[in-house]
Amino acid sequence: MVRRVAIVGAGVSGLASIKCCLDEGLEPTCFEKSDGIGGLWQFTETPQKGRIGVYRSVMTNTSKEMTCFSDFPFPEDCPNYLRHSALLEYLRAYAKHFCLLDYIRFQTTVCSIRKHPHFTATGQWVVDTETNGEQTSEIFDGVMVCSGHYAEINLPLDSFPGIENFKGRYFHSWEYRDQKGFEGQKVLVVGAGNTGGDLAAEISRTAAKVFLSTRSGAWVISRISEAGWPVDMAWTTRFYELIEKLLPEGTIYKLMAKKMNRWFNHENYGLIPVKSNSWTSLILNDELPSCILCGTVTVKPNVKRFTDTSAIFEDETVEENIDTVIFTTGYSATFPFLEESLRDACRSSTSLYKHIFPPHLEKPTLAFVGFIVLAGPILPAVELQARWITRVFNGSSELPPMSRLISEVAKRKNALLKKYEVFVSYMDEIAACLGVKPNVPLLFLSDPKLAWMVFFGPCTSYQYRLTGPGKWREARGAILTQWDRVLRPLKTRVVEDSPQPATVPHWLKALALPIFLGAAWIILKYLLPCKQGKRLFSYFILRL
């Protein structure tokens, strides 16, 4: 049985892993190479080699209610979207509240993790570390790798001919801290992901001109949804997930495109993705469309090649006298401390069982936490992963046989056409393994008020503390009051006689629910299996 667990990294995943180990009676030892917790959320004034950080103005892309750990909500007066400093303070409060710092060895680098000579029988690992030049070797019963996706910068200069002759400055966005130093410059930002959009908008405030180059385009959405609610709370629901499962894929793309273009027409702004039915290029940015409309940012296609002073794009247009090029080309995950055979087998999260366990190991005593691309908040997902892993480690949960693990990994690789996992589906999948997935139909019978919030409301992490191992008695209350915590930091000027929005009577909601579910069941069972039925159903949905 696993007792001692080595945890690599004290970022979001590492902190959750320490806490879950303690909850399950395990003995964690966390190794952190820096002098503080928080991982990439630790802001530094200057870039530090071997350490990925954030730029000064970065904000979370997920709201506080969707982002928090399942038994530790953010303070009520905390803003809904957070600066890096606010999120770091939250992590520090989390670590202090659950006494996690006592289990972290700071300024300690993990040099190697290799199988113990008797691994087949014991499942143990030999972990070599270095602290202030002193090397130590220890034996652990289990290992949780929490170093995540953002390990090394990805800077594919070979894909940009002529960059070696460019006389201006060029660098990876890892080095960027703020817009100082770009005043009056012509700046080219390569890559229209979240970072590329943020940097282009921010630098355009003082630069002479900013060009945003994108290979495939991007869908841009605001953090603010209809009526001003956080967009992830409005969209990330079980109800919407059910709709997506009922509708044909083509209909979903059309519906989403229609919704995206309500804010601004992406084709008119030069941002519409090359593959218009792709949702892998989706970014949150409230400022970028305005910058494009005002002309401070110009969208360009992919760079074909560079000259000494200019950039030539794939449409053969040329922009002269470029001063600075910033490559927002992302990061790659590397695990140099793993022995070579493991490193090759774990190069991609899709090679792991449910993005967590290497399927070929004789003993399931090595797990990856946070090594996943998810269309949603990462904190609740890594916490749920850690809860399951620690119960596998202590023997409370069991994995299927190795042959089945390998088969399911291969099946998932073929099925996962997108670059990311859908949040609600993945959370429910891990929750089912752990035994904490909420039973919504049963909940409607026993607690209709709560069930309504669970099904139609945002899929917040509290839902996975309602039942099963790790049940939290305050989970129900946290769900029922989550919208109050959204409003709390906004109510800084209360108008007593302000009109209230009309609401649908509860009796009508209660009547509509069984009708909707019954209709959905009929459609799923009888109508959708036939092609004509799918087309007819899609036609009416698109006209809504």
Side-chain angles (χ1 to χ4, degrees):
M1 179 184 290
V2 173
R3 294 299 302 173
R4 297 192 68 213
V5 179
I7 299 171
V8 184
V12 168
S13 301
L15 293 175
S17 297
I18 299 171
K19 198 255 183 185
C20 292
C21 280
L22 297 174
D23 289 345
E24 293 298 333
L26 304 176
E27 301 171 14
T29 301
C30 179
F31 302 104
E32 170 55 46
K33 63 182 178 182
S34 74
D35 58 359
I37 65 171
L40 62 87
W41 293 103
Q42 292 185 64
F43 173 77
T44 58
E45 291 289 343
T46 56
Q48 297 179 6
K49 188 176 181 181
R51 177 175 169 181
I52 305 301
V54 293
Y55 42 95
R56 191 183 305 278
S57 63
V58 75
M59 301 285 292
T60 59
N61 284 334
T62 55
S63 63
K64 66 176 181 180
E65 289 301 304
M66 294 298 299
T67 301
C68 69
F69 291 120
S70 60
D71 55 356
F72 196 73
F74 278 91
E76 286 190 357
D77 58 353
C78 190
N80 284 285
Y81 289 95
L82 305 116
R83 289 185 177 275
H84 56 81
S85 56
L87 183 56
L88 186 59
E89 280 303 312
Y90 170 77
L91 296 176
R92 287 171 176 164
Y94 178 78
K96 182 180 180 180
H97 182 78
F98 293 109
C99 304
L100 307 182
L101 297 179
D102 296 339
Y103 302 91
I104 305 175
R105 297 183 192 175
F106 292 105
Q107 295 183 320
T108 301
T109 301
V110 176
C111 303
S112 72
I113 297 175
R114 61 188 187 277
K115 291 179 181 177
H116 188 275
H118 303 298
F119 177 83
T120 303
T122 66
Q124 292 180 321
W125 300 87
V126 180
V127 179
D128 297 328
T129 59
E130 183 177 325
T131 308
N132 298 323
E134 182 179 341
Q135 296 187 347
T136 305
S137 183
E138 298 176 78
I139 297 174
F140 289 90
D141 302 307
V143 174
M144 300 174 76
V145 179
C146 302
S147 51
H149 263 291
Y150 305 104
E152 290 188 359
I153 62 172
N154 177 39
L155 187 55
L157 295 180
D158 292 343
S159 301
F160 301 95
I163 189 64
E164 66 278 2
N165 300 319
F166 181 65
K167 293 181 179 179
R169 182 187 178 200
Y170 64 90
F171 59 93
H172 190 275
S173 56
W174 166 76
E175 297 183 41
Y176 180 84
R177 286 299 177 266
D178 53 45
Q179 73 269 37
K180 293 178 182 177
F182 299 99
E183 295 87 349
Q185 289 192 5
K186 294 179 74 174
V187 180
L188 170 61
V189 178
V190 178
N194 280 304
T195 301
D198 284 352
L199 268 57
E202 182 169 280
I203 294 171
S204 72
R205 297 170 193 165
T206 54
K209 186 70 176 180
V210 174
F211 302 99
L212 179 61
S213 169
T214 174
R215 182 189 301 273
S216 57
W219 293 107
V220 183
I221 61 175
S222 170
R223 288 178 174 83
I224 306 171
S225 70
E226 295 175 8
W229 299 109
V231 68
D232 55 350
M233 293 187 73
W235 287 18
T236 313
T237 70
R238 297 178 182 279
F239 172 71
Y240 279 134
E241 172 130 346
L242 176 61
I243 292 295
E244 287 188 17
K245 289 179 179 178
L246 291 174
L247 292 176
E249 194 173 14
T251 302
I252 292 295
Y253 288 139
K254 290 177 183 178
L255 284 170
M256 291 299 292
K258 184 178 179 181
K259 191 173 185 69
M260 300 287 187
N261 285 323
R262 283 177 186 169
W263 185 22
F264 70 95
N265 188 301
H266 285 67
E267 185 175 358
N268 292 345
Y269 280 59
L271 285 169
I272 192 156
V274 174
K275 296 180 179 179
S276 59
N277 63 346
S278 172
W279 300 109
T280 57
S281 302
L282 190 149
I283 68 174
L284 269 74
N285 197 300
D286 297 278
E287 192 177 354
L288 181 61
S290 178
C291 292
I292 297 171
L293 189 63
C294 296
T296 56
V297 173
T298 299
V299 180
K300 303 291 291 184
N302 190 48
V303 177
K304 185 176 182 180
R305 65 182 182 277
F306 286 96
T307 68
D308 55 350
T309 60
S310 63
I312 303 172
F313 299 91
E314 289 185 345
D315 61 357
E316 299 301 332
T317 57
V318 180
E319 295 297 340
E320 303 281 358
N321 302 318
I322 301 293
D323 297 293
T324 303
V325 180
I326 305 177
F327 291 96
T328 63
T329 44
Y331 301 86
S332 57
T334 58
F335 309 103
F337 44 80
L338 292 179
E339 55 187 35
E340 190 173 353
S341 60
L342 272 174
R343 195 162 60 239
D344 293 339
C346 304
R347 194 173 299 275
S348 167
S349 70
T350 56
S351 301
L352 307 175
Y353 179 63
K354 300 189 187 300
H355 303 278
I356 298 174
F357 291 100
H360 295 86
L361 289 178
E362 299 92 333
K363 299 284 185 179
T365 55
L366 173 68
F368 292 78
V369 188
F371 185 34
I372 182 174
V373 179
L374 193 67
I378 193 66
L379 267 75
V382 302
E383 180 194 37
L384 204 54
Q385 288 180 332
R387 289 173 65 188
W388 182 38
I389 292 165
T390 51
R391 287 185 65 80
V392 170
F393 279 4
N394 71 8
S396 299
S397 296
E398 289 186 5
L399 295 185
M402 184 189 296
S403 58
R404 185 176 161 191
L405 296 183
I406 296 171
S407 173
E408 289 199 19
V409 167
K411 183 179 178 180
R412 194 182 202 104
K413 274 187 178 181
N414 293 331
L416 195 62
L417 301 177
K418 301 174 182 177
K419 294 181 181 178
Y420 56 82
E421 290 281 355
V422 177
F423 179 76
V424 179
S425 294
Y426 184 75
M427 292 288 284
D428 276 355
E429 183 178 347
I430 302 303
C433 298
L434 182 59
V436 298
K437 179 182 175 182
N439 187 328
V440 179
L442 185 61
L443 207 56
F444 268 108
L445 296 176
S446 61
D447 194 340
K449 183 178 180 181
L450 177 63
W452 186 268
M453 293 291 287
V454 168
F455 184 70
F456 289 103
C459 185
T460 46
S461 59
Y462 318 123
Q463 295 189 11
Y464 302 100
R465 290 283 184 179
L466 290 170
T467 186
K471 180 181 178 180
W472 183 43
R473 64 181 182 178
E474 296 180 39
R476 181 182 186 275
I479 294 171
L480 296 179
T481 57
Q482 56 196 3
W483 293 109
D484 296 332
R485 288 189 296 277
V486 172
L487 290 176
R488 179 65 181 272
L490 303 177
K491 294 289 187 177
T492 54
R493 175 181 175 268
V494 180
V495 181
E496 293 183 3
D497 297 328
S498 58
Q500 298 296 319
T503 57
V504 179
H506 287 293
W507 67 267
L508 187 57
K509 290 180 180 179
L511 181 63
L513 178 64
I515 294 174
F516 170 78
L517 293 177
W521 181 81
I522 292 171
I523 290 168
L524 187 63
K525 185 172 180 65
Y526 297 106
L527 181 59
L528 290 186
C530 71
K531 243 180 221 184
Q532 293 82 359
K534 284 186 178 180
R535 288 174 183 167
L536 183 62
F537 187 51
S538 302
Y539 175 82
F540 283 113
I541 289 293
L542 284 170
R543 293 301 180 274
L544 292 177

